[in-house]
Amino acid sequence: MGINVVCAGMEDHLLEIFNGHDNKEVITRSYSSENELQWNKEASAELSRVPGFVRAKVKRNTEKYARDQKTSIITLEVMYAAKEAVAA
Protein backbone atom coordinates (compact mmCIF):
# COMPACT_ATOMS: atom_id res chain seq x y z
CA MET A 1 0.00 0.00 0.00
CA GLY A 2 1.54 3.30 -1.09
CA ILE A 3 1.05 6.89 -0.12
CA ASN A 4 -1.34 8.88 -2.26
CA VAL A 5 0.95 11.55 -3.72
CA VAL A 6 -1.92 14.01 -4.19
CA CYS A 7 -2.96 13.78 -0.51
CA ALA A 8 0.62 13.76 0.72
CA GLY A 9 1.34 16.98 -1.16
CA MET A 10 -1.90 18.66 -0.08
CA GLU A 11 -0.75 19.39 3.46
CA ASP A 12 2.48 20.94 2.17
CA HIS A 13 0.48 23.03 -0.29
CA LEU A 14 -1.94 24.24 2.38
CA LEU A 15 0.91 25.02 4.78
CA GLU A 16 2.57 27.07 2.04
CA ILE A 17 -0.64 28.99 1.34
CA PHE A 18 -1.25 29.69 5.03
CA ASN A 19 2.41 30.47 5.82
CA GLY A 20 3.20 27.29 7.73
CA HIS A 21 1.90 25.97 11.00
CA ASP A 22 0.25 28.53 13.21
CA ASN A 23 2.41 28.68 16.32
CA LYS A 24 0.39 31.43 17.96
CA GLU A 25 -1.16 30.85 21.34
CA VAL A 26 -4.41 28.93 21.18
CA ILE A 27 -7.47 31.09 21.66
CA THR A 28 -9.48 29.41 24.38
CA ARG A 29 -12.57 31.61 24.19
CA SER A 30 -15.52 29.78 22.72
CA TYR A 31 -19.14 30.42 21.89
CA SER A 32 -20.13 28.82 25.16
CA SER A 33 -19.91 30.46 28.54
CA GLU A 34 -16.36 30.67 29.89
CA ASN A 35 -17.13 28.42 32.88
CA GLU A 36 -19.01 25.72 30.99
CA LEU A 37 -15.99 23.85 29.55
CA GLN A 38 -12.37 23.71 30.62
CA TRP A 39 -9.43 22.45 28.57
CA ASN A 40 -6.79 20.68 30.61
CA LYS A 41 -3.10 21.36 29.99
CA GLU A 42 -2.47 18.31 27.79
CA ALA A 43 -5.56 18.89 25.62
CA SER A 44 -4.66 22.57 25.17
CA ALA A 45 -1.14 21.58 24.12
CA GLU A 46 -2.53 19.05 21.63
CA LEU A 47 -4.93 21.65 20.23
CA SER A 48 -2.03 24.06 19.72
CA ARG A 49 -0.37 21.44 17.47
CA VAL A 50 -3.38 21.27 15.14
CA PRO A 51 -2.72 23.29 11.94
CA GLY A 52 -4.19 26.76 12.25
CA PHE A 53 -6.52 26.44 9.27
CA VAL A 54 -8.52 23.64 10.95
CA ARG A 55 -7.94 24.41 14.65
CA ALA A 56 -11.21 26.31 15.19
CA LYS A 57 -13.21 23.45 13.65
CA VAL A 58 -11.42 20.86 15.82
CA LYS A 59 -12.11 23.01 18.89
CA ARG A 60 -15.81 23.44 18.01
CA ASN A 61 -16.27 19.73 17.29
CA THR A 62 -14.51 18.73 20.51
CA GLU A 63 -16.55 21.16 22.61
CA LYS A 64 -19.81 20.01 21.00
CA TYR A 65 -18.88 16.39 21.72
CA ALA A 66 -17.99 17.24 25.34
CA ARG A 67 -21.33 19.01 25.84
CA ASP A 68 -23.23 16.10 24.28
CA GLN A 69 -21.40 13.72 26.64
CA LYS A 70 -22.07 16.01 29.65
CA THR A 71 -18.30 16.43 30.16
CA SER A 72 -17.04 19.71 31.60
CA ILE A 73 -13.28 19.08 31.34
CA ILE A 74 -11.75 18.42 27.94
CA THR A 75 -8.88 15.95 28.13
CA LEU A 76 -6.86 14.16 25.46
CA GLU A 77 -9.26 11.25 25.76
CA VAL A 78 -12.23 13.54 25.04
CA MET A 79 -10.40 15.02 22.04
CA TYR A 80 -9.67 11.58 20.58
CA ALA A 81 -13.21 10.36 21.22
CA ALA A 82 -14.59 13.48 19.50
CA LYS A 83 -12.31 12.84 16.53
CA GLU A 84 -13.58 9.26 16.26
CA ALA A 85 -17.20 10.41 16.56
CA VAL A 86 -16.77 12.91 13.72
CA ALA A 87 -15.06 10.32 11.53
CA ALA A 88 -17.81 7.75 12.07
Side-chain angles (χ1 to χ4, degrees), residues 31-48:
Y31 298 110
S32 61
S33 71
E34 292 291 325
N35 297 326
E36 183 181 349
L37 297 172
Q38 295 178 10
W39 288 72
N40 76 5
K41 188 176 179 179
E42 293 81 13
S44 291
E46 183 72 12
L47 184 63
S48 72

Side-chain angles (χ1 to χ4, degrees), residues 2-72:
I3 297 174
N4 184 330
V5 177
V6 174
C7 290
M10 182 59 76
E11 182 178 7
D12 291 335
H13 175 69
L14 290 170
L15 289 172
E16 184 179 316
I17 290 173
F18 292 102
N19 297 318
H21 287 282
D22 182 4
N23 293 324
K24 295 178 183 173
E25 188 175 328
V26 175
I27 298 171
T28 57
R29 193 178 79 194
S30 66
Y31 298 110
S32 61
S33 71
E34 292 291 325
N35 297 326
E36 183 181 349
L37 297 172
Q38 295 178 10
W39 288 72
N40 76 5
K41 188 176 179 179
E42 293 81 13
S44 291
E46 183 72 12
L47 184 63
S48 72
R49 288 189 283 276
V50 173
F53 60 92
V54 293
R55 187 175 300 143
K57 183 172 180 135
V58 169
K59 186 172 192 283
R60 276 192 310 271
N61 289 345
T62 302
E63 289 181 345
K64 181 183 181 315
Y65 177 85
R67 277 189 219 92
D68 291 346
Q69 298 299 312
K70 310 281 191 257
T71 301
S72 61

